[in-house]
Amino acid sequence: MDAVPRGLRFLALVLASAALALAASAGLAVAASYDGRADRDRQRSPRLAVRHPDEQVTALWSGRFDAVGDRQHSVVHVVPLVSDAAPPPGLSRWPAPGEAMLSPALAEAGRDERITTRYGRFAGLIGPKGLASPSERLAYVRPAADTGGHWQRITGFGDPAAVRFGESITVGPVGEPLAAVALLIGLPAAALLVVAVRTPGPARRHPVAIGTALGLLPAMVALVTDLRVPGTGHVLSAAHLRGAAWPLPFVAVGVPLLVAGAGATRRVPRPTVRPGARRAAWPAGGSALVALTAGAAGQSRAAIALFTLGAAGVLAALPWAAGGLAGLLRTRPVIMTRLTAAALLGLAPAALLAVWAGHPGDQAAQARRTFARVGTSVQLVDARGLTADRIAAFSRRLPPGPRLLTLREDGSGDPVLRGGCPALRDLGLGCPSAPSAIPAGHAADPRLQEFLFWAGGPGGALVQRDDARADARADARADARADGRTDGRAPEPDALVVVTDVRDPVPEWVVKAAAYATLPSDVKVESLGAEWRTSGGPGPWVTVLALPGTVVALLAGLVGAAAALPHPADVRRLAVPMLPATTVAAAAAWWLAGLLNGRLGGGGTPPWPILAGGVASAAVLALLATCLGELHRRVSRPPGARTHERKTPR
């Protein structure tokens, strides 16, 4: 039987118990966060008068959107109608006309964009009772005077049938993060448990108790203080977790019972079939061919099934094929196989899930390409009541450099772009006195090309100069007759277009500041495709969950490889096969993720953080194994050997 380093089973049981407790507590934290968010949604939801017709109307409520950087947030406009109306939860009072109250996270994130003055005078912060989580970005705004636009009449706040807004509209169903925790942390923890209970050594209970306590330590800390999840911008609410802390004692009891039950598998013999590297290369290559064929076959169910089958075949056969590197590394094939299998278990599911969850749709991918081409050099300002005085006031608020054009739909559905001749020529256009068509696909300037894609009509757009007085008066009379008016005034545009040079675009927040200061309160400002470019989604969460899962999987491989060593002192030599095994696994995961990205249509981001984190974790664990192996060799060396090495005095 292979010699096993002393204390290996003890260490393996500690690590396995900690991983299981961590996975269970992470799942409980997800469920508690969702429950707490749902409670806050019910408490702060407006009671719509259409749902409660027998109650007195006390306020007007309207939900809108804005963004800081590439992250969207909700802006709720409120106007009390009676003096004794209760303010929204989290607010100590109603905002006065022209005032805004912001969540702490929004005030902090928007500091560089001067968010505290964007919506009006800053009147304070929203309290915890009005936020779905401590990291929610939210604003309550009371317009200075204008109450036009779309408003909801409400009778108060607090409704079981909650109107979702803010952070709550960006999260998916609770089953998605729970499945990610189970796949990325729970599955490696289960693998480590199987390896630990099958590692030879004395059966003891205290390593399981120690590991369980270590695994529950992050949950204990999260019950006391809010914890920021690295890489996601999300903050776990301690209040939410305390409200759902009752299952934690069951975790503390259930993990030792699970370990004890898994110990029964120790009597099940291990498979003795160990195919050689050459024989394993055939199924690995065949599975890779299947995955490659399916990756180019589109998104049909058959293609998905073929890709899944091919990927599973690659992941199953590759560890055995990697055993062929054992001769080059002067190690046993079983060690290389176990290390590669463990690295694949940690990296491949995480990489594939990251590509699947973070893959943009067609519109989002196009929005990213648009931003890469023209940035914020073209911005749309959509508002009602765009009178000449308001447009002039808005223009004066802009810094020097931007050119302003107006946009109005004509009867055919194609918008008419009007502006001064310098602004039109800056876009590579002529300066016609009558509306002139710009067919889609015939624009030369990249800004105009992207504008036609996002704001053009079926036939492209029309262009006309607005400084030809005679022609303008004629157009105004024609438009007035078409609109049924007799005053001869030119119709108001539907939107404004702010154009700057691609090399020196005006920041979006600068245009927003000018718009909110001069135009109606429901104004909307965004660069081309901005609503599709906003960040968020489950992608960062996959990366965060992948790191501990990968470490747990690599630990399972190390423990299994250490149990197969011919001599306990050889633990220090596991660093040699550890890095090549992880590199092979990372390359396979990268290749499969690339195939999946191509099958989804391309445009996704490669899972480099996950793969780099896995290789870095392998390097750290390899160094740690080397140090522990050397320490074990020195401690277990016979006393006579140490004396023999001393130099005798002459």
Side-chain angles (χ1 to χ4, degrees):
M1 184 179 67
D2 295 332
V4 177
R6 184 184 307 170
L8 180 62
R9 178 179 171 84
F10 182 96
L11 178 62
L13 288 174
V14 170
L15 295 174
S17 303
L20 289 172
L22 178 64
S25 59
L28 291 177
V30 170
S33 296
Y34 270 73
D35 289 343
R37 184 184 294 113
D39 289 341
R40 291 285 168 82
D41 284 342
R42 288 188 288 268
Q43 294 167 8
R44 68 182 184 176
S45 172
R47 295 179 63 84
L48 302 181
V50 294
R51 294 181 182 175
H52 307 279
D54 297 334
E55 300 178 6
Q56 180 188 5
V57 175
T58 60
L60 299 177
W61 188 97
S62 178
R64 297 176 172 87
F65 297 99
D66 196 8
V68 168
D70 60 353
R71 184 171 172 182
Q72 199 174 67
H73 62 266
S74 289
V75 180
V76 178
H77 289 199
V78 289
V79 176
L81 300 179
V82 296
S83 58
D84 59 346
L91 302 188
S92 58
R93 61 175 178 84
W94 288 97
E99 287 187 342
M101 294 183 176
L102 312 180
S103 67
L106 179 59
E108 176 64 24
R111 180 179 301 176
D112 293 340
E113 297 189 9
R114 303 175 187 174
I115 191 68
T116 53
T117 60
R118 177 181 296 180
Y119 308 115
R121 299 184 305 276
F122 179 60
L125 298 175
I126 303 173
K129 292 184 178 180
L131 301 175
S133 75
S135 54
E136 183 179 33
R137 298 184 180 185
L138 179 66
Y140 279 103
V141 178
R142 183 174 177 181
D146 174 69
T147 56
H150 180 69
W151 289 88
Q152 301 267 21
R153 299 165 67 243
I154 66 173
T155 64
F157 296 93
D159 196 332
V163 176
R164 298 173 63 192
F165 60 93
E167 181 183 278
S168 299
I169 63 176
T170 64
V171 297
V174 66
E176 294 180 357
L178 287 178
V181 170
L183 177 65
L184 302 181
I185 301 181
L187 184 60
L192 180 55
L193 173 62
V194 173
V195 172
V197 299
R198 298 177 69 92
T199 301
R204 298 175 180 176
R205 296 181 179 178
H206 55 279
V208 179
I210 295 174
T212 303
L214 291 175
L216 290 177
L217 184 59
M220 297 295 103
V221 175
L223 292 175
V224 179
T225 181
D226 296 340
L227 288 183
R228 182 174 296 276
V229 182
T232 65
H234 183 75
V235 176
L236 289 175
S237 171
H240 291 172
L241 298 185
R242 285 193 296 268
W246 60 268
L248 289 178
F250 292 94
V251 175
V253 175
V255 169
L257 293 177
L258 181 60
V259 174
T265 64
R266 190 175 184 181
R267 300 184 181 91
V268 180
R270 295 180 180 178
T272 57
V273 179
R274 297 180 180 180
R278 293 183 179 179
R279 283 182 291 174
W282 286 104
S287 300
L289 183 60
V290 172
L292 181 61
T293 304
Q299 302 184 27
S300 64
R301 292 184 177 181
I304 294 175
L306 279 176
F307 178 82
T308 303
L309 180 64
V314 170
L315 299 180
L318 186 60
W320 299 105
L325 298 175
L328 299 176
L329 301 174
R330 296 182 180 181
T331 187
R332 302 176 67 183
V334 65
I335 292 177
M336 190 67 185
T337 297
R338 291 180 180 180
L339 291 175
T340 306
L344 282 172
L345 179 64
L347 292 177
L352 293 174
L353 184 59
V355 171
W356 181 274
H359 190 274
D362 294 339
Q363 291 291 91
Q366 178 61 40
R368 293 180 182 179
R369 289 191 290 267
T370 296
F371 186 76
R373 290 189 73 196
V374 301
T376 60
S377 59
V378 181
Q379 299 182 44
L380 300 178
V381 181
D382 190 1
R384 56 185 172 79
L386 289 175
T387 63
D389 292 340
R390 284 175 171 172
I391 295 175
F394 170 71
S395 179
R396 288 192 296 269
R397 285 269 185 167
L398 292 175
R403 300 183 184 276
L404 197 61
L405 299 97
T406 64
L407 193 66
R408 177 177 170 81
E409 296 287 341
D410 73 345
S412 66
D414 292 336
V416 180
L417 191 64
R418 292 186 173 93
C421 288
L424 296 177
R425 292 194 181 103
D426 183 56
L427 292 173
L429 298 171
C431 193
S433 59
S436 177
I438 314 171
H442 288 70
D445 192 286
R447 295 170 296 178
L448 187 57
Q449 294 171 0
E450 298 297 338
F451 169 81
L452 292 177
F453 178 86
W454 292 102
L462 303 173
V463 61
Q464 180 187 19
R465 76 174 189 264
D466 65 355
D467 56 354
R469 296 182 179 273
D471 294 334
R473 285 194 296 270
D475 291 337
R477 288 191 295 270
D479 288 335
R481 288 192 298 270
D483 293 345
R485 292 182 287 105
T486 58
D487 54 9
R489 291 184 293 106
E492 296 173 354
D494 299 319
L496 304 177
V497 183
V498 181
V499 181
T500 53
D501 192 278
V502 176
R503 295 166 295 183
D504 186 25
V506 62
E508 202 169 307
W509 66 269
V510 174
V511 179
K512 289 181 178 180
Y516 277 102
T518 56
L519 301 179
S521 59
D522 57 351
V523 62
K524 181 180 179 181
V525 179
E526 61 181 12
S527 56
L528 298 177
E531 61 181 329
W532 294 96
R533 201 178 62 246
T534 52
S535 64
W541 284 96
V542 175
T543 303
V544 170
L545 295 175
L547 180 58
T550 301
V551 172
V552 171
L554 293 175
L555 286 172
L558 273 177
V559 173
L565 291 172
H567 302 288
D570 289 340
V571 172
R572 68 185 189 278
R573 298 179 181 175
L574 287 178
V576 176
M578 181 72 174
L579 290 179
T582 307
T583 303
V584 169
W590 170 80
W591 182 72
L592 290 174
L595 288 181
L596 180 60
N597 180 48
R599 191 182 66 80
L600 294 175
T605 303
W608 295 123
I610 294 175
L611 302 180
V615 175
S617 300
V620 173
L621 292 177
L623 178 62
L624 183 60
T626 301
C627 296
L628 292 178
E630 183 64 22
L631 179 62
H632 183 278
R633 185 181 69 86
R634 292 179 179 272
V635 171
S636 61
R637 185 187 306 173
R642 292 194 296 268
T643 305
H644 180 73
E645 292 180 355
R646 297 175 183 171
K647 293 183 179 180
T648 57
R650 295 181 180 178

